[in-house]
Amino acid sequence: MAMDNMTPLQALRWSVAMGADEAIGDEPVDRYAQSAEPAAPAQPAVPVHASASTAPAAPPLASSQGAADSRAAARQADTLAALRLALEAFEGCALKQTATNLVFADGNPEADLMILGEAPGAEEDRQGTPFVGPSGQLLDRMLGAIGRDRTSAYISNVLFWRPPGNRTPTDAEVAACMPFVQRHIALVRPKVLVFVGGAAAKALLERKEGIMRLRGTWYDYRNPDLDVPIPALAIFHPAYLLRSPGQKRQTWRDLLMLRARLAELA
Ligand code: URA
């Protein structure tokens, strides 16, 4: 059906199906009217919708500024509740402006296992809970395979807000959230950390290699808030496993490594 023949609701559904599922500007912009206007005066473009490929680029926030603000805010948080409140008050990461909800954590903060993914997706943003979409369902099954669930694991992300249209987060956005993530890990003090996917592993391990190289090995994770390092393992992201089920065999090996290490440390 041509767009001209669609009802507004059909056009909206079509846009969402095409991936333009985020309202980015406060006010809608009628681009048809704009293009019909002869030589309209130059105005800053404010897209109404953005897909993964058209989502706006980085906020006008220097990474050092966001990171400096977040270091100060994160340092003051002595409990998980205080850290959450600090994030709710934090304005140094522009992702907050387009996200529906802060996605802080799920699971048991007393658990010996802490899992960190990259960033909330659409369903996580809607519910304000990490890993509740299709990747989360597979993550739950992966945990189940080694006798774990959300009562025996604590789950969060490197970013606390969804990047619009699920675009790749910028370095500035990751840097702005990192002091909170470091504080988060230090407050939970798990015995073992699992970094889910290449983006989380690279950001937390400060390594350049991709997940193919990073997985399958234990690392000593360190940060300025920790007095002792924590053993950390990087695994494939469940979203990747959903696309490439052939890699599940490797992940099964990683999960067995994880189970053995948790048993040793129990
Ligand atoms: N992918 C992630 O990395 N984190 C989530 O919370 C959901 C999907």
Side-chain angles (χ1 to χ4, degrees), residues 157-189:
N157 281 303
V158 166
L159 288 161
F160 297 95
W161 296 275
R162 180 195 183 203
N166 296 343
R167 67 159 166 75
T168 303
T170 64
D171 290 348
E173 289 155 359
V174 174
C177 289
M178 191 50 75
F180 291 102
V181 177
Q182 292 176 338
R183 193 80 184 146
H184 204 176
I185 294 171
L187 288 169
V188 175
R189 279 188 177 269

mmCIF file of all heavy atoms in Angstrom, residues 157-189:
data_model
loop_
_atom_site.group_PDB
_atom_site.id
_atom_site.type_symbol
_atom_site.label_atom_id
_atom_site.label_comp_id
_atom_site.label_asym_id
_atom_site.label_seq_id
_atom_site.Cartn_x
_atom_site.Cartn_y
_atom_site.Cartn_z
ATOM 1 N N ASN A 157 23.535 -3.051 33.360
ATOM 2 C CA ASN A 157 24.132 -2.717 32.068
ATOM 3 C C ASN A 157 25.199 -1.647 32.240
ATOM 4 O O ASN A 157 25.239 -0.965 33.267
ATOM 5 C CB ASN A 157 23.059 -2.162 31.123
ATOM 6 C CG ASN A 157 22.200 -3.241 30.497
ATOM 7 O OD1 ASN A 157 22.707 -4.143 29.846
ATOM 8 N ND2 ASN A 157 20.895 -3.154 30.706
ATOM 9 N N VAL A 158 25.979 -1.458 31.195
ATOM 10 C CA VAL A 158 26.986 -0.394 31.175
ATOM 11 C C VAL A 158 26.317 0.976 30.948
ATOM 12 O O VAL A 158 26.852 2.011 31.325
ATOM 13 C CB VAL A 158 28.014 -0.711 30.065
ATOM 14 C CG1 VAL A 158 28.890 0.462 29.723
ATOM 15 C CG2 VAL A 158 28.865 -1.907 30.484
ATOM 16 N N LEU A 159 25.144 0.963 30.316
ATOM 17 C CA LEU A 159 24.361 2.195 30.137
ATOM 18 C C LEU A 159 23.027 2.036 30.848
ATOM 19 O O LEU A 159 22.427 0.957 30.791
ATOM 20 C CB LEU A 159 24.116 2.469 28.653
ATOM 21 C CG LEU A 159 25.350 2.935 27.898
ATOM 22 C CD1 LEU A 159 25.163 2.745 26.413
ATOM 23 C CD2 LEU A 159 25.644 4.395 28.197
ATOM 24 N N PHE A 160 22.592 3.101 31.468
ATOM 25 C CA PHE A 160 21.358 3.010 32.263
ATOM 26 C C PHE A 160 20.133 3.505 31.503
ATOM 27 O O PHE A 160 19.031 3.466 32.025
ATOM 28 C CB PHE A 160 21.524 3.801 33.565
ATOM 29 C CG PHE A 160 22.615 3.247 34.444
ATOM 30 C CD1 PHE A 160 23.894 3.766 34.396
ATOM 31 C CD2 PHE A 160 22.362 2.177 35.285
ATOM 32 C CE1 PHE A 160 24.905 3.249 35.189
ATOM 33 C CE2 PHE A 160 23.367 1.640 36.081
ATOM 34 C CZ PHE A 160 24.646 2.182 36.035
ATOM 35 N N TRP A 161 20.360 4.006 30.284
ATOM 36 C CA TRP A 161 19.230 4.467 29.470
ATOM 37 C C TRP A 161 19.382 3.903 28.067
ATOM 38 O O TRP A 161 20.504 3.715 27.583
ATOM 39 C CB TRP A 161 19.203 6.004 29.397
ATOM 40 C CG TRP A 161 18.983 6.652 30.716
ATOM 41 C CD1 TRP A 161 17.783 6.890 31.318
ATOM 42 C CD2 TRP A 161 19.989 7.147 31.619
ATOM 43 N NE1 TRP A 161 17.975 7.498 32.528
ATOM 44 C CE2 TRP A 161 19.315 7.666 32.751
ATOM 45 C CE3 TRP A 161 21.383 7.201 31.596
ATOM 46 C CZ2 TRP A 161 19.984 8.227 33.830
ATOM 47 C CZ3 TRP A 161 22.062 7.759 32.662
ATOM 48 C CH2 TRP A 161 21.372 8.269 33.763
ATOM 49 N N ARG A 162 18.252 3.690 27.413
ATOM 50 C CA ARG A 162 18.280 3.120 26.065
ATOM 51 C C ARG A 162 18.778 4.142 25.036
ATOM 52 O O ARG A 162 18.240 5.253 24.961
ATOM 53 C CB ARG A 162 16.862 2.692 25.672
ATOM 54 C CG ARG A 162 16.811 2.093 24.288
ATOM 55 C CD ARG A 162 15.397 2.018 23.772
ATOM 56 N NE ARG A 162 15.378 1.359 22.470
ATOM 57 C CZ ARG A 162 14.427 1.504 21.570
ATOM 58 N NH1 ARG A 162 13.391 2.284 21.831
ATOM 59 N NH2 ARG A 162 14.485 0.884 20.425
ATOM 60 N N PRO A 163 19.760 3.790 24.219
ATOM 61 C CA PRO A 163 20.100 4.669 23.094
ATOM 62 C C PRO A 163 18.943 4.664 22.088
ATOM 63 O O PRO A 163 18.407 3.600 21.777
ATOM 64 C CB PRO A 163 21.351 4.010 22.487
ATOM 65 C CG PRO A 163 21.864 3.077 23.536
ATOM 66 C CD PRO A 163 20.648 2.626 24.314
ATOM 67 N N PRO A 164 18.524 5.837 21.580
ATOM 68 C CA PRO A 164 17.366 5.875 20.686
ATOM 69 C C PRO A 164 17.548 4.973 19.477
ATOM 70 O O PRO A 164 18.621 4.951 18.871
ATOM 71 C CB PRO A 164 17.274 7.343 20.270
ATOM 72 C CG PRO A 164 18.513 8.000 20.737
ATOM 73 C CD PRO A 164 19.128 7.152 21.793
ATOM 74 N N GLY A 165 16.497 4.209 19.175
ATOM 75 C CA GLY A 165 16.563 3.307 18.023
ATOM 76 C C GLY A 165 17.606 2.214 18.194
ATOM 77 O O GLY A 165 18.017 1.596 17.222
ATOM 78 N N ASN A 166 18.076 2.001 19.421
ATOM 79 C CA ASN A 166 19.119 0.994 19.726
ATOM 80 C C ASN A 166 20.430 1.278 19.007
ATOM 81 O O ASN A 166 21.182 0.363 18.708
ATOM 82 C CB ASN A 166 18.679 -0.439 19.371
ATOM 83 C CG ASN A 166 17.511 -0.890 20.206
ATOM 84 O OD1 ASN A 166 17.214 -0.290 21.236
ATOM 85 N ND2 ASN A 166 16.844 -1.934 19.771
ATOM 86 N N ARG A 167 20.691 2.553 18.727
ATOM 87 C CA ARG A 167 21.958 2.843 18.055
ATOM 88 C C ARG A 167 23.121 2.524 18.995
ATOM 89 O O ARG A 167 22.956 2.395 20.205
ATOM 90 C CB ARG A 167 22.013 4.294 17.589
ATOM 91 C CG ARG A 167 22.061 5.306 18.709
ATOM 92 C CD ARG A 167 22.615 6.634 18.214
ATOM 93 N NE ARG A 167 22.359 7.703 19.163
ATOM 94 C CZ ARG A 167 23.018 7.863 20.308
ATOM 95 N NH1 ARG A 167 23.937 6.992 20.688
ATOM 96 N NH2 ARG A 167 22.733 8.880 21.100
ATOM 97 N N THR A 168 24.312 2.395 18.396
ATOM 98 C CA THR A 168 25.508 2.137 19.193
ATOM 99 C C THR A 168 25.769 3.331 20.103
ATOM 100 O O THR A 168 25.767 4.468 19.632
ATOM 101 C CB THR A 168 26.721 1.945 18.255
ATOM 102 O OG1 THR A 168 26.397 0.886 17.364
ATOM 103 C CG2 THR A 168 27.981 1.606 19.024
ATOM 104 N N PRO A 169 25.986 3.084 21.385
ATOM 105 C CA PRO A 169 26.262 4.228 22.276
ATOM 106 C C PRO A 169 27.581 4.899 21.904
ATOM 107 O O PRO A 169 28.500 4.245 21.410
ATOM 108 C CB PRO A 169 26.376 3.599 23.660
ATOM 109 C CG PRO A 169 26.132 2.146 23.509
ATOM 110 C CD PRO A 169 25.942 1.800 22.077
ATOM 111 N N THR A 170 27.645 6.198 22.124
ATOM 112 C CA THR A 170 28.898 6.911 21.843
ATOM 113 C C THR A 170 29.875 6.709 23.010
ATOM 114 O O THR A 170 29.469 6.342 24.125
ATOM 115 C CB THR A 170 28.647 8.425 21.702
ATOM 116 O OG1 THR A 170 28.191 8.909 22.975
ATOM 117 C CG2 THR A 170 27.611 8.730 20.645
ATOM 118 N N ASP A 171 31.143 7.000 22.746
ATOM 119 C CA ASP A 171 32.146 6.907 23.814
ATOM 120 C C ASP A 171 31.786 7.856 24.958
ATOM 121 O O ASP A 171 32.006 7.547 26.129
ATOM 122 C CB ASP A 171 33.534 7.272 23.276
ATOM 123 C CG ASP A 171 34.060 6.196 22.322
ATOM 124 O OD1 ASP A 171 33.459 5.098 22.274
ATOM 125 O OD2 ASP A 171 35.048 6.464 21.620
ATOM 126 N N ALA A 172 31.246 9.036 24.598
ATOM 127 C CA ALA A 172 30.892 10.019 25.638
ATOM 128 C C ALA A 172 29.797 9.470 26.548
ATOM 129 O O ALA A 172 29.825 9.670 27.768
ATOM 130 C CB ALA A 172 30.435 11.319 24.990
ATOM 131 N N GLU A 173 28.829 8.768 25.957
ATOM 132 C CA GLU A 173 27.734 8.206 26.768
ATOM 133 C C GLU A 173 28.256 7.107 27.697
ATOM 134 O O GLU A 173 27.884 7.029 28.871
ATOM 135 C CB GLU A 173 26.629 7.673 25.844
ATOM 136 C CG GLU A 173 25.861 8.795 25.165
ATOM 137 C CD GLU A 173 25.193 8.408 23.854
ATOM 138 O OE1 GLU A 173 25.321 7.252 23.415
ATOM 139 O OE2 GLU A 173 24.560 9.283 23.262
ATOM 140 N N VAL A 174 29.130 6.278 27.152
ATOM 141 C CA VAL A 174 29.707 5.203 27.982
ATOM 142 C C VAL A 174 30.547 5.828 29.103
ATOM 143 O O VAL A 174 30.445 5.434 30.274
ATOM 144 C CB VAL A 174 30.554 4.238 27.124
ATOM 145 C CG1 VAL A 174 31.262 3.216 27.995
ATOM 146 C CG2 VAL A 174 29.672 3.534 26.090
ATOM 147 N N ALA A 175 31.342 6.850 28.744
ATOM 148 C CA ALA A 175 32.214 7.490 29.752
ATOM 149 C C ALA A 175 31.381 8.156 30.846
ATOM 150 O O ALA A 175 31.754 8.127 32.028
ATOM 151 C CB ALA A 175 33.124 8.511 29.080
ATOM 152 N N ALA A 176 30.244 8.748 30.465
ATOM 153 C CA ALA A 176 29.409 9.425 31.465
ATOM 154 C C ALA A 176 28.812 8.426 32.451
ATOM 155 O O ALA A 176 28.651 8.719 33.633
ATOM 156 C CB ALA A 176 28.306 10.218 30.766
ATOM 157 N N CYS A 177 28.482 7.226 31.974
ATOM 158 C CA CYS A 177 27.866 6.221 32.857
ATOM 159 C C CYS A 177 28.905 5.423 33.650
ATOM 160 O O CYS A 177 28.578 4.856 34.696
ATOM 161 C CB CYS A 177 27.005 5.253 32.037
ATOM 162 S SG CYS A 177 25.498 6.016 31.405
ATOM 163 N N MET A 178 30.144 5.368 33.161
ATOM 164 C CA MET A 178 31.118 4.432 33.729
ATOM 165 C C MET A 178 31.372 4.605 35.238
ATOM 166 O O MET A 178 31.430 3.606 35.970
ATOM 167 C CB MET A 178 32.429 4.507 32.924
ATOM 168 C CG MET A 178 33.417 3.409 33.253
ATOM 169 S SD MET A 178 32.723 1.735 33.239
ATOM 170 C CE MET A 178 32.571 1.415 31.495
ATOM 171 N N PRO A 179 31.520 5.839 35.760
ATOM 172 C CA PRO A 179 31.726 5.949 37.206
ATOM 173 C C PRO A 179 30.566 5.348 38.019
ATOM 174 O O PRO A 179 30.786 4.779 39.094
ATOM 175 C CB PRO A 179 31.844 7.459 37.440
ATOM 176 C CG PRO A 179 32.340 7.990 36.131
ATOM 177 C CD PRO A 179 31.642 7.147 35.087
ATOM 178 N N PHE A 180 29.343 5.443 37.498
ATOM 179 C CA PHE A 180 28.200 4.823 38.182
ATOM 180 C C PHE A 180 28.310 3.298 38.116
ATOM 181 O O PHE A 180 27.961 2.601 39.060
ATOM 182 C CB PHE A 180 26.879 5.273 37.542
ATOM 183 C CG PHE A 180 26.563 6.722 37.775
ATOM 184 C CD1 PHE A 180 26.763 7.663 36.792
ATOM 185 C CD2 PHE A 180 26.060 7.151 39.003
ATOM 186 C CE1 PHE A 180 26.482 9.001 37.011
ATOM 187 C CE2 PHE A 180 25.770 8.485 39.231
ATOM 188 C CZ PHE A 180 25.979 9.420 38.230
ATOM 189 N N VAL A 181 28.753 2.804 36.970
ATOM 190 C CA VAL A 181 28.894 1.350 36.812
ATOM 191 C C VAL A 181 29.974 0.838 37.771
ATOM 192 O O VAL A 181 29.810 -0.179 38.444
ATOM 193 C CB VAL A 181 29.243 0.998 35.346
ATOM 194 C CG1 VAL A 181 29.473 -0.494 35.186
ATOM 195 C CG2 VAL A 181 28.147 1.465 34.411
ATOM 196 N N GLN A 182 31.074 1.580 37.849
ATOM 197 C CA GLN A 182 32.169 1.166 38.744
ATOM 198 C C GLN A 182 31.694 1.160 40.185
ATOM 199 O O GLN A 182 31.984 0.246 40.963
ATOM 200 C CB GLN A 182 33.359 2.118 38.573
ATOM 201 C CG GLN A 182 33.997 1.979 37.201
ATOM 202 C CD GLN A 182 35.120 2.962 36.964
ATOM 203 O OE1 GLN A 182 35.194 4.011 37.613
ATOM 204 N NE2 GLN A 182 35.991 2.649 36.027
ATOM 205 N N ARG A 183 30.950 2.190 40.544
ATOM 206 C CA ARG A 183 30.415 2.276 41.912
ATOM 207 C C ARG A 183 29.420 1.137 42.144
ATOM 208 O O ARG A 183 29.375 0.530 43.222
ATOM 209 C CB ARG A 183 29.735 3.638 42.083
ATOM 210 C CG ARG A 183 29.415 3.969 43.487
ATOM 211 C CD ARG A 183 30.647 4.492 44.204
ATOM 212 N NE ARG A 183 30.366 4.738 45.603
ATOM 213 C CZ ARG A 183 31.249 4.571 46.556
ATOM 214 N NH1 ARG A 183 32.482 4.181 46.279
ATOM 215 N NH2 ARG A 183 30.919 4.832 47.794
ATOM 216 N N HIS A 184 28.597 0.875 41.139
ATOM 217 C CA HIS A 184 27.597 -0.189 41.215
ATOM 218 C C HIS A 184 28.287 -1.519 41.555
ATOM 219 O O HIS A 184 27.888 -2.237 42.464
ATOM 220 C CB HIS A 184 26.889 -0.281 39.852
ATOM 221 C CG HIS A 184 25.527 -0.881 39.889
ATOM 222 N ND1 HIS A 184 24.724 -0.957 38.781
ATOM 223 C CD2 HIS A 184 24.802 -1.458 40.890
ATOM 224 C CE1 HIS A 184 23.584 -1.526 39.101
ATOM 225 N NE2 HIS A 184 23.604 -1.852 40.369
ATOM 226 N N ILE A 185 29.349 -1.819 40.803
ATOM 227 C CA ILE A 185 30.075 -3.075 41.018
ATOM 228 C C ILE A 185 30.674 -3.087 42.429
ATOM 229 O O ILE A 185 30.598 -4.096 43.142
ATOM 230 C CB ILE A 185 31.173 -3.251 39.941
ATOM 231 C CG1 ILE A 185 30.527 -3.440 38.564
ATOM 232 C CG2 ILE A 185 32.096 -4.423 40.282
ATOM 233 C CD1 ILE A 185 31.493 -3.401 37.381
ATOM 234 N N ALA A 186 31.231 -1.947 42.844
ATOM 235 C CA ALA A 186 31.877 -1.895 44.161
ATOM 236 C C ALA A 186 30.847 -2.050 45.285
ATOM 237 O O ALA A 186 31.141 -2.650 46.326
ATOM 238 C CB ALA A 186 32.636 -0.585 44.310
ATOM 239 N N LEU A 187 29.646 -1.518 45.083
ATOM 240 C CA LEU A 187 28.617 -1.645 46.133
ATOM 241 C C LEU A 187 28.082 -3.077 46.220
ATOM 242 O O LEU A 187 27.765 -3.573 47.294
ATOM 243 C CB LEU A 187 27.464 -0.664 45.868
ATOM 244 C CG LEU A 187 27.790 0.816 46.128
ATOM 245 C CD1 LEU A 187 26.675 1.712 45.589
ATOM 246 C CD2 LEU A 187 27.995 1.089 47.620
ATOM 247 N N VAL A 188 27.988 -3.749 45.082
ATOM 248 C CA VAL A 188 27.471 -5.134 45.079
ATOM 249 C C VAL A 188 28.575 -6.110 45.521
ATOM 250 O O VAL A 188 28.297 -7.086 46.206
ATOM 251 C CB VAL A 188 26.933 -5.507 43.668
ATOM 252 C CG1 VAL A 188 26.506 -6.969 43.602
ATOM 253 C CG2 VAL A 188 25.745 -4.617 43.319
ATOM 254 N N ARG A 189 29.797 -5.811 45.113
ATOM 255 C CA ARG A 189 30.949 -6.676 45.423
ATOM 256 C C ARG A 189 30.668 -8.157 45.167
ATOM 257 O O ARG A 189 30.763 -9.003 46.073
ATOM 258 C CB ARG A 189 31.360 -6.524 46.894
ATOM 259 C CG ARG A 189 32.191 -5.324 47.121
ATOM 260 C CD ARG A 189 32.745 -5.277 48.524
ATOM 261 N NE ARG A 189 33.597 -4.118 48.626
ATOM 262 C CZ ARG A 189 34.896 -4.121 48.374
ATOM 263 N NH1 ARG A 189 35.497 -5.230 48.024
ATOM 264 N NH2 ARG A 189 35.600 -3.021 48.460
#
